[in-house]
Amino acid sequence: MAEIILAESAGFCFGVKRAVNIAFDVADQRHGGCTLGPIIHNKEMVKELSDRGVVAIDTPEEIGGREPVIIRSHGVKRSVYDELNQLGVEYIDATCPFVSKIHQIVSDMSGQGYIILLAGDKNHPEVQGILSNCVGRYYVFSNEEDLSEIAKIIPPENNNDICVVAQTTFNKEIWKNCIIFLKKLYTNAKIFDTICNATSKRQAEAHALSARCDCMIVVGDRSSSNTNKLYTICQKNCERTYLIETAAELDKSMYADAKIIGVTAGASTPERNIKEVLDTMSENTTSSVNETENFEEMLEESLKSLNTNERVMGTVASITPNEVYVEVDGRKQTGFIPFDELSSTPIQSADEVVKVGDRVELLIMKTNDVEGTIMLSKRRVDAQKGYEELQKAYDEKEILTGVVTEVVSGGVIVVCNDIRVFIPASQAAMERDANLEELKGQEVKFRLIEMSQRGRRRKIIGSIKSVLRDEFAAKRAEFWENCEVGKVYTGVVRSLTSYGAFVDLGGVSGMIHISELSWLRIKHPSEVVKVGDTVEVYIKDINTEVTPKKISLGYKKTEDNPWVILEKDYPVGTVVKAKIVGLTAFGAFANIIPGIDGLIHISQISNKRIDKPSDVLSVGDEVEAKITGIDFEKKRVSLSIRALLPEAEEVQEAEAPAEEEPEIRELEDEVPAAEEAPAEEAAPVEEAPVEEPAAEEAPVEEAAPAEEAPAEEAE
C-alpha cells in the first residue's frame, strides 16, 4: 500500500489568507467591489469572488463605481496609489506585510543614493510594485549570470552604494548562491534577506519531501510564481513530479506504482483544492494518506476551537501600531497579539519586543470561530515562565537583576522575567530616607525574600538592601585585606564636619582632616569639596587598634604645595608682581602666590628715605618686586622694590652716616632696634596673623622682632 505524505505548510500563506479574507469580507458585507488584478494567482478563487460581486479589473479607469477597491497581496505600483487618491475612490490595501516591508526598504535606501539590486522575476506584479518605490537606479536579476552582466555596468569600486533585496517568493537556494557571488563582487553591499519566512519553510519542506518520494504532486495555479518554484525544487529530487491546478488533472498513471507519494501546494492554493486532490488519489488507488499527516485531520485540527490558556508556537508575520499578527503553527485562524499583551515593561512600539519572522511562544486568550481569529498574549506566557524561574531563584536564594519601573506607595516595583516584584522602601536602599525616585529606570540587583500564591493572586517581595549589604561587607573585607599607607584610592565625599570631610572608599569610610584639604588656610571643608564629589585621596595613617578601625586620608598633593611651586618657578632674583596684603612699621607684606607672602622691608620699598610704608604703599596695591632671599626652613621670603629702581644721588646724600648702616642691615635681618620700631608703630605688628602656623603664612616670620621690643612698648 502506497503512502501519501502532505507537506505541513501546503496551502495559503499569511499574506494570501489575509487578502482573501478581506475580499470575502467585502463580498459578504458590501455585496460588491473590485480587485486591482486577481486577488491571488488562482483562477477558481478569482471566479468565486466574481460570482459574489467582487470582480478583478486591470486599471483604475475600470472601477466604474465598484467600490471599495482591494489592492491585491502582491501590491501595486506607487503610481496606482497616486491615481486612486486623485480619483478619490475608497480602497483597502491588502498588500502582504512582507511585500510592504520591501517597498519601505527600497524607498529609504534608494532615497539615500543606493543602487537597488532586486532578485526576482522582472515581469511579476510584486517586483513591478517594488521597483516603483525606487527613486534611483535599479537592476533585476534572477541568477548569477544576470549578476555578471550587472557587474559590467556597476564597477566593484561602487560597493558602498549597493542595496540588495529579493522577491518574497524567490528561490532560497539560488538566493544563497547569488549572495556568495555578490559579497565577492561588492564587499560592502547592504543585503536584506526579504524572502518570506513561510516561502522559505515551504521550499525547504518541498526539497526534503521530494528527496524521499517516488512521486511528487504540486498543486497550484500555473501562473503562480511560488508554485512554479516548488515544482522546480521537487523536480530536481524526483523525476516524477507533476504540477496540477485541480484534482481533475490527476491521472492514475502519475502515481500508480509509487510507494511514497508526496503532495505540496503553492501559497495561493485553497485548502479545498488540496483536499480534493488527496481524496481523488485515495479513491483511485489502494493508497492511504499517512495517518500522522492526514490532511483531513490536519484541517479539522486547524479549524477546531482552541482552548484558552493553551500555549502555542507561532511566527510573527506583520506588525502594526496596535497589534502583531502571527501565523500559529498547525492553525488556520489568524492570530493576533494586542499591543498591551506584548510585554510587562513599558514599551513605545511593538518592534522593541518582536520582529517579523521571530518564533514566539504564546498563550491563547480568546478565540472567535466566526471571524476565524485567535487573540494571543506573549506577556502572559513570559510571566508564567518568569514565575517559574523566580520560584527557582527564591528556593536557591539567587541574586536577580531587574529594572525599577515604578515608584509606588511604600516602595518600588521591579520587573524581572516579565514579573512585577514589590520592593518595600525599607528594603530598597541602605539609607533609611533614600530618594526612591532616583531608582526609577535603574537596573538593580535584588534577592527574593517572600513568595506565595493564593489562587490567582501572587505575592512576590524582594530586597535590594540584602544584596547591597552583602556587597558592602565583601568590599570592606577586600579593602582591609589590601589597604596600606600611601595607597591611592578614588572615593565619594559622603559628609562634611567643621573639622574635616568623610569619604566613602567603597565599603569603608576615611576622614580628610581640614588641614589636609588645602595648602591654604580654610575655615570649612566646603570651601574645597562638596558632598557627592568624587575625589582622589591617599592613606596617611591606619589605626587597627580601635573598633571600628579608622583611616586618616590625605588630599592635598605635594606638587600643589606653594613652597614647592616657589622653589620650582620663583628662584632668588625673580621679579614678581605682588599684591600688598598688610602694612607694619618696619615694612609691607605682599602676596607672591596663593599661600605665600613675602616681606618688603621699609628700607627696600623706595629709593628715597621714607618715614613709614604707608607713605608709599596701600593694602591692595599691586607692585613689582624682586625676590632677594628665601629661607625654606623658616618659610620666609624677602622682597625688594628698591632693587628695581635706579639709585638717586640726592637720596644717598640725605641718608644717615655710614656708621648707622650696620643697624639698617640688622633691621633687614632681625629688626631688633627699639629706636627703629617705636612703640606707636608696634600695634600693627600685633595685627599680623601670628596665630597661624609658620608653615602656612609668611607673616609669622616677622612676629619675633615685635616681641623683642616689649620694654619700648611699656615705656
Side-chain angles (χ1 to χ4, degrees), residues 302-378:
S302 69
L303 294 177
K304 73 178 182 180
S305 297
L306 301 175
N307 296 323
T308 56
N309 295 322
E310 179 184 348
R311 288 190 189 182
V312 293
M313 292 298 296
T315 302
V316 176
S318 66
I319 298 174
T320 70
N322 298 318
E323 295 173 331
V324 172
Y325 288 92
V326 179
E327 290 184 3
V328 181
D329 290 1
R331 316 293 182 182
K332 296 302 180 181
Q333 292 99 327
T334 300
F336 68 94
I337 312 170
F339 185 83
D340 57 1
E341 289 296 329
L342 279 169
S343 174
S344 296
T345 56
I347 56 173
Q348 298 298 318
S349 61
D351 55 14
E352 294 178 34
V353 181
V354 293
K355 300 286 187 297
V356 172
D358 283 356
R359 295 280 295 165
V360 288
E361 186 174 4
L362 304 163
L363 186 74
I364 297 173
M365 294 175 59
K366 183 180 179 182
T367 60
N368 189 323
D369 293 334
V370 176
E371 296 180 1
T373 59
I374 317 169
M375 182 186 292
L376 305 163
S377 173
K378 181 179 183 300

Side-chain angles (χ1 to χ4, degrees), residues 212-514:
R212 53 185 286 219
C213 293
D214 303 315
C215 174
M216 277 297 300
I217 305 297
V218 180
V219 186
D221 199 294
R222 289 184 175 82
S223 62
S224 168
S225 173
N226 71 83
T227 300
N228 281 291
K229 288 182 177 65
L230 288 176
Y231 174 74
T232 301
I233 290 169
C234 294
Q235 197 175 41
K236 288 182 179 179
N237 293 327
C238 180
E239 290 184 4
R240 295 173 62 183
T241 297
Y242 305 96
L243 172 58
I244 62 173
E245 293 189 350
T246 65
E249 297 181 26
L250 277 172
D251 190 312
K252 292 181 182 180
S253 61
M254 295 177 180
Y255 51 85
D257 57 346
K259 293 182 179 179
I260 302 177
I261 306 168
V263 179
T264 187
S268 302
T269 307
E271 292 169 354
R272 62 169 179 263
N273 286 21
I274 304 171
K275 186 176 184 303
E276 287 173 359
V277 168
L278 292 174
D279 289 345
T280 300
M281 292 173 67
S282 298
E283 291 171 1
N284 294 339
T285 68
T286 56
S287 305
S288 63
V289 177
N290 186 308
E291 293 182 0
T292 60
E293 298 188 36
N294 182 281
F295 181 76
E296 291 186 13
E297 292 180 2
M298 290 173 58
L299 186 60
E300 182 181 353
E301 175 68 19
S302 69
L303 294 177
K304 73 178 182 180
S305 297
L306 301 175
N307 296 323
T308 56
N309 295 322
E310 179 184 348
R311 288 190 189 182
V312 293
M313 292 298 296
T315 302
V316 176
S318 66
I319 298 174
T320 70
N322 298 318
E323 295 173 331
V324 172
Y325 288 92
V326 179
E327 290 184 3
V328 181
D329 290 1
R331 316 293 182 182
K332 296 302 180 181
Q333 292 99 327
T334 300
F336 68 94
I337 312 170
F339 185 83
D340 57 1
E341 289 296 329
L342 279 169
S343 174
S344 296
T345 56
I347 56 173
Q348 298 298 318
S349 61
D351 55 14
E352 294 178 34
V353 181
V354 293
K355 300 286 187 297
V356 172
D358 283 356
R359 295 280 295 165
V360 288
E361 186 174 4
L362 304 163
L363 186 74
I364 297 173
M365 294 175 59
K366 183 180 179 182
T367 60
N368 189 323
D369 293 334
V370 176
E371 296 180 1
T373 59
I374 317 169
M375 182 186 292
L376 305 163
S377 173
K378 181 179 183 300
R379 175 178 67 84
R380 302 187 190 206
V381 169
D382 294 340
Q384 287 180 2
K385 290 181 177 178
Y387 186 80
E388 293 165 4
E389 293 176 11
L390 290 186
Q391 184 65 56
K392 180 181 177 183
Y394 173 70
D395 295 338
E396 298 178 1
K397 296 181 172 57
E398 292 180 6
I399 293 175
L400 300 167
T401 301
V403 176
V404 177
T405 58
E406 297 176 60
V407 177
V408 296
S409 177
V412 298
I413 299 296
V414 174
V415 173
C416 176
N417 294 340
D418 284 301
I419 298 289
R420 290 162 57 89
V421 179
F422 175 65
I423 311 287
S426 62
Q427 297 294 325
M430 291 291 287
E431 303 83 14
R432 283 188 177 183
D433 300 322
N435 183 2
L436 299 185
E437 288 291 343
E438 294 180 356
L439 290 174
K440 191 172 182 179
Q442 300 294 316
E443 186 175 77
V444 296
K445 294 179 181 178
F446 66 97
R447 184 181 283 116
L448 295 175
I449 57 176
E450 183 178 348
M451 280 191 76
S452 60
Q453 183 169 355
R454 288 185 179 180
R456 294 186 178 182
R457 294 194 62 183
R458 293 170 177 168
K459 185 178 182 181
I460 309 174
I461 299 176
S463 171
I464 298 172
K465 185 177 180 178
S466 170
V467 177
L468 292 177
R469 191 187 297 116
D470 290 351
E471 291 179 347
F472 184 77
K475 286 180 180 179
R476 285 181 65 88
E478 182 183 0
F479 180 88
W480 289 116
E481 185 178 344
N482 299 309
C483 69
E484 57 186 32
V485 173
K487 196 167 184 179
V488 177
Y489 288 88
T490 298
V492 178
V493 178
R494 291 304 185 198
S495 63
L496 301 177
T497 67
S498 60
Y499 51 84
F502 287 89
V503 178
D504 181 7
L505 302 178
V508 176
S509 290
M511 188 189 78
I512 311 172
H513 192 270
I514 189 170

Side-chain angles (χ1 to χ4, degrees), residues 54-355:
V54 179
V55 300
I57 61 173
D58 295 323
T59 64
E61 287 79 7
E62 300 176 39
I63 295 173
R66 289 186 288 249
E67 297 182 38
V69 179
I70 303 170
I71 295 175
R72 58 190 171 180
S73 58
H74 294 307
V76 294
K77 295 180 179 179
R78 177 56 49 191
S79 58
V80 174
Y81 288 100
D82 296 337
E83 190 173 353
L84 291 173
N85 289 325
Q86 288 176 0
L87 292 172
V89 298
E90 178 188 358
Y91 67 87
I92 300 172
D93 194 348
T95 302
C96 172
F98 292 102
V99 177
S100 296
K101 179 183 177 182
I102 306 174
H103 288 185
Q104 190 62 51
I105 291 172
V106 300
S107 176
D108 292 344
M109 299 304 291
S110 62
Q112 296 175 37
Y114 282 83
I115 300 171
I116 304 298
L117 302 186
L118 171 58
D121 177 0
K122 63 182 179 180
N123 297 317
H124 194 281
E126 179 186 326
V127 171
Q128 293 173 356
I130 293 170
L131 296 178
S132 71
N133 286 273
C134 296
V135 296
R137 293 168 63 191
Y138 59 80
Y139 299 90
V140 180
F141 66 92
S142 57
N143 49 44
E144 294 176 63
E145 289 72 24
D146 291 346
L147 285 173
S148 297
E149 293 302 316
I150 292 172
K152 296 176 183 178
I153 305 171
I154 308 173
E157 54 264 27
N158 282 15
N159 70 85
N160 288 325
D161 304 320
I162 303 296
C163 172
V164 187
V165 294
Q167 181 180 346
T168 56
T169 56
F170 194 72
N171 185 289
K172 194 72 174 180
E173 289 303 315
I174 297 176
W175 169 253
K176 288 179 181 178
N177 294 332
C178 288
I179 293 306
I180 294 171
F181 182 88
L182 275 165
K183 286 183 176 178
K184 293 178 182 178
L185 197 63
Y186 306 113
T187 54
N188 292 331
K190 290 188 179 296
I191 301 172
F192 297 87
D193 187 351
T194 53
I195 296 176
C196 173
N197 181 60
T199 298
S200 301
K201 182 180 178 182
R202 191 189 310 273
Q203 292 177 359
E205 286 179 359
H207 176 76
L209 183 58
S210 60
R212 53 185 286 219
C213 293
D214 303 315
C215 174
M216 277 297 300
I217 305 297
V218 180
V219 186
D221 199 294
R222 289 184 175 82
S223 62
S224 168
S225 173
N226 71 83
T227 300
N228 281 291
K229 288 182 177 65
L230 288 176
Y231 174 74
T232 301
I233 290 169
C234 294
Q235 197 175 41
K236 288 182 179 179
N237 293 327
C238 180
E239 290 184 4
R240 295 173 62 183
T241 297
Y242 305 96
L243 172 58
I244 62 173
E245 293 189 350
T246 65
E249 297 181 26
L250 277 172
D251 190 312
K252 292 181 182 180
S253 61
M254 295 177 180
Y255 51 85
D257 57 346
K259 293 182 179 179
I260 302 177
I261 306 168
V263 179
T264 187
S268 302
T269 307
E271 292 169 354
R272 62 169 179 263
N273 286 21
I274 304 171
K275 186 176 184 303
E276 287 173 359
V277 168
L278 292 174
D279 289 345
T280 300
M281 292 173 67
S282 298
E283 291 171 1
N284 294 339
T285 68
T286 56
S287 305
S288 63
V289 177
N290 186 308
E291 293 182 0
T292 60
E293 298 188 36
N294 182 281
F295 181 76
E296 291 186 13
E297 292 180 2
M298 290 173 58
L299 186 60
E300 182 181 353
E301 175 68 19
S302 69
L303 294 177
K304 73 178 182 180
S305 297
L306 301 175
N307 296 323
T308 56
N309 295 322
E310 179 184 348
R311 288 190 189 182
V312 293
M313 292 298 296
T315 302
V316 176
S318 66
I319 298 174
T320 70
N322 298 318
E323 295 173 331
V324 172
Y325 288 92
V326 179
E327 290 184 3
V328 181
D329 290 1
R331 316 293 182 182
K332 296 302 180 181
Q333 292 99 327
T334 300
F336 68 94
I337 312 170
F339 185 83
D340 57 1
E341 289 296 329
L342 279 169
S343 174
S344 296
T345 56
I347 56 173
Q348 298 298 318
S349 61
D351 55 14
E352 294 178 34
V353 181
V354 293
K355 300 286 187 297

Side-chain angles (χ1 to χ4, degrees), residues 411-678:
V412 298
I413 299 296
V414 174
V415 173
C416 176
N417 294 340
D418 284 301
I419 298 289
R420 290 162 57 89
V421 179
F422 175 65
I423 311 287
S426 62
Q427 297 294 325
M430 291 291 287
E431 303 83 14
R432 283 188 177 183
D433 300 322
N435 183 2
L436 299 185
E437 288 291 343
E438 294 180 356
L439 290 174
K440 191 172 182 179
Q442 300 294 316
E443 186 175 77
V444 296
K445 294 179 181 178
F446 66 97
R447 184 181 283 116
L448 295 175
I449 57 176
E450 183 178 348
M451 280 191 76
S452 60
Q453 183 169 355
R454 288 185 179 180
R456 294 186 178 182
R457 294 194 62 183
R458 293 170 177 168
K459 185 178 182 181
I460 309 174
I461 299 176
S463 171
I464 298 172
K465 185 177 180 178
S466 170
V467 177
L468 292 177
R469 191 187 297 116
D470 290 351
E471 291 179 347
F472 184 77
K475 286 180 180 179
R476 285 181 65 88
E478 182 183 0
F479 180 88
W480 289 116
E481 185 178 344
N482 299 309
C483 69
E484 57 186 32
V485 173
K487 196 167 184 179
V488 177
Y489 288 88
T490 298
V492 178
V493 178
R494 291 304 185 198
S495 63
L496 301 177
T497 67
S498 60
Y499 51 84
F502 287 89
V503 178
D504 181 7
L505 302 178
V508 176
S509 290
M511 188 189 78
I512 311 172
H513 192 270
I514 189 170
S515 62
E516 289 295 329
L517 280 168
S518 175
W519 291 101
L520 306 179
R521 177 172 178 165
I522 59 172
K523 294 181 179 180
H524 195 272
S526 59
E527 296 177 39
V528 180
V529 294
K530 301 286 188 296
V531 172
D533 284 356
T534 299
V535 295
E536 188 176 89
V537 295
Y538 59 92
I539 297 178
K540 285 182 64 68
D541 185 45
I542 301 173
N543 187 351
T544 58
E545 301 298 323
V546 296
T547 303
K549 302 172 185 177
K550 292 185 178 180
I551 299 173
S552 297
L553 302 174
Y555 178 68
K556 59 186 184 183
K557 298 177 175 58
T558 302
E559 59 268 26
D560 295 332
N561 186 339
W563 289 98
V564 172
I565 296 172
L566 187 76
E567 183 177 14
K568 182 179 67 172
D569 299 334
Y570 299 88
V572 173
T574 302
V575 176
V576 297
K577 283 188 176 181
K579 184 177 182 179
I580 305 301
V581 294
L583 297 173
T584 69
F586 53 84
F589 289 100
N591 181 248
I592 304 168
I593 59 175
I596 297 182
D597 294 341
L599 173 67
I600 311 173
H601 192 269
I602 189 171
S603 64
Q604 297 299 314
I605 291 176
S606 175
N607 58 5
K608 298 179 182 180
R609 191 177 186 83
I610 59 174
D611 293 330
K612 54 184 181 297
S614 59
D615 291 342
V616 179
L617 300 172
S618 299
V619 173
D621 287 352
E622 289 192 357
V623 298
E624 279 197 348
K626 184 177 183 179
I627 299 176
T628 58
I630 303 176
D631 187 336
F632 287 102
E633 186 176 344
K634 295 182 178 180
K635 300 292 189 288
R636 295 179 179 177
V637 181
S638 297
L639 299 172
S640 174
I641 297 174
R642 178 179 174 179
L644 302 178
L645 301 174
E647 292 290 344
E649 291 181 6
E650 62 272 23
V651 173
Q652 292 174 356
E653 292 172 1
E655 285 176 349
E659 59 269 24
E660 296 181 1
E661 290 181 5
E663 295 181 11
I664 296 172
R665 287 196 297 273
E666 191 175 1
L667 269 171
E668 292 175 359
D669 295 333
E670 301 179 6
V671 198
E675 59 269 28
E676 292 300 323

